[in-house]
Amino acid sequence: MSRRLGKTEANWQSCSLRKWLNNEFLNSAFSLNEQKMINTVAVKPHKNKVYDTDCGSTTSDKVFLLSATEMEKYYKSNALRKSQPTEFAKKQKVLTGGIIKKTAYYWLRTSGKDLSYATVVDSEGLISEYGNLVLSSKYGVRPAMWIRC
C-alpha cells in the first residue's frame, strides 16, 4: 500500500490482505497436505464497473477474494451473498447487520470508488461498488481458492 495525502491506497496486487491470505491464513487454516491440493492460479483484475477504478495487474495466488464480477457470476442473488460470520470473525468484531445482526459485511478484491476504497458486500448481500476505506478493520473475508480433488 502507498500513502498519499493521509490516505492509504491499494489495489488487489498491492493489498496487505492478499499477503495475509496467502501466508498466515493459508499456513494456519490448512495442513501441508491440504495446501498441496490448492492450485496457484492467475487472479485477473476486474475494473470497477461503476467507477472504472484500476484494479492492478494479474497476480498468482492460492487464496484470493472474489471480484465484484465473480461474486455476481457465482452468487446470483443477494440471499446467496449473505454470509454468517465464523467464531473467529466474531472474536475479531466483524461488522454485522441485518434484522438480527447475524450476517457479516465482507471485502471483495475489486477497487472501490478510488484506490483508497475496496468494494464490499453488505449484511443484506448487496454489492457496494463505492466500497469502504481499505484501512477499515471491521470487514470480514470470504476466501476463495481452486482445489485439485
Side-chain angles (χ1 to χ4, degrees):
M1 293 189 191
S2 62
R3 288 222 176 252
R4 187 167 52 145
L5 300 175
K7 294 194 312 189
T8 295
E9 294 185 341
N11 57 32
W12 178 249
Q13 182 181 7
S14 64
C15 178
S16 61
L17 179 55
R18 175 178 169 249
K19 292 171 184 67
W20 177 80
L21 283 169
N22 283 281
N23 291 293
E24 293 96 89
F25 174 77
L26 179 67
N27 292 322
S28 64
F30 302 100
S31 70
L32 288 175
N33 284 336
E34 290 169 330
Q35 289 179 41
K36 290 176 187 173
M37 295 171 31
I38 302 171
N39 293 323
T40 299
V41 296
V43 179
K44 298 182 188 227
H46 294 132
K47 278 195 171 193
N48 184 309
K49 292 189 289 188
V50 175
Y51 297 95
D52 200 36
T53 314
D54 177 34
C55 292
S57 300
T58 298
T59 59
S60 294
D61 299 312
K62 286 184 170 278
V63 185
F64 53 94
L65 300 181
L66 294 180
S67 68
T69 300
E70 292 164 335
M71 183 58 69
E72 290 172 337
K73 177 182 177 181
Y74 297 123
Y75 298 90
K76 297 196 182 288
S77 71
N78 295 345
L80 291 173
R81 289 190 285 266
K82 287 183 181 182
S83 181
Q84 300 281 326
T86 62
E87 289 305 314
F88 178 79
K90 289 176 188 175
K91 287 178 186 172
Q92 302 302 310
K93 302 200 185 310
V94 68
L95 183 62
T96 57
I99 296 170
I100 51 179
K101 295 207 176 260
K102 289 198 174 188
T103 52
Y105 290 71
Y106 57 94
W107 295 112
L108 298 178
R109 77 170 185 269
T110 306
S111 296
K113 74 171 188 88
D114 62 35
L115 290 179
S116 61
Y117 285 71
T119 56
V120 296
V121 176
D122 72 14
S123 64
E124 296 301 319
L126 296 168
I127 297 171
S128 169
E129 285 87 358
Y130 186 91
N132 204 329
L133 288 168
V134 296
L135 287 177
S136 175
S137 62
K138 296 296 182 189
Y139 286 78
V141 295
R142 288 181 78 176
M145 67 198 76
W146 291 101
I147 60 169
R148 286 186 294 280
C149 297

